Amino acid sequence: MFLGDGPALRGEIEEGPGTGLDPAVLLGHLAAITENLGTVVAASTTYNSPYNLARHFQALDHVTKGRAAVNIVTTGTPAAAANFGLPAHPDKESRYRRAWEFLEVTTRLRDS
């Protein structure tokens, strides 16, 4: 089961958060009550830190007994920048450069 996530709020926030429940928490719960459900969660390399993301998904992989995967994204929406205290959304080249480094660091942390 794949659940995407978005680190930006939509315009109609008074009606509730646009992305709903945290996908990793929801999928961790669903995997705990099933035996054959594989989980895939999208995670932003632009708006996460490598250590926290590696720890987060290592825990999800552990509680799902190896049924967890991550879909790394760079987040294309400029609306996310304000949620993380940034004055502007990084340009595409910067986001992808960070993503490659992020993936290498996160993989080494996860495997440690």
Side-chain angles (χ1 to χ4, degrees):
M1 173 179 270
F2 172 80
L3 288 177
D5 195 13
L9 300 175
R10 296 188 328 213
E12 59 279 354
I13 188 62
E14 68 277 0
E15 296 176 18
T19 55
L21 297 173
D22 181 321
V25 173
L26 180 59
L27 288 177
H29 177 73
L30 292 175
I33 60 173
T34 65
E35 293 182 14
N36 299 311
L37 179 69
T39 63
V40 182
V41 178
S44 174
T45 58
T46 304
Y47 297 108
N48 278 297
S49 68
Y51 173 78
N52 285 335
L53 192 63
R55 185 170 179 246
H56 193 80
F57 284 103
Q58 186 179 45
L60 183 61
D61 189 58
H62 178 73
V63 300
T64 63
K65 297 180 178 143
R67 294 179 284 141
V70 60
N71 174 40
I72 297 294
V73 298
T74 63
T75 303
T77 179
N83 291 343
F84 295 88
L86 297 178
H89 185 59
D91 64 70
K92 184 176 180 177
E93 182 180 330
S94 297
R95 292 192 327 268
Y96 276 81
R97 187 173 50 250
R98 175 179 165 86
W100 280 110
E101 180 182 359
F102 192 104
L103 187 57
E104 181 180 338
V105 170
T106 303
T107 300
R108 287 182 183 194
L109 286 167
R110 185 203 63 211
D111 292 342
S112 65

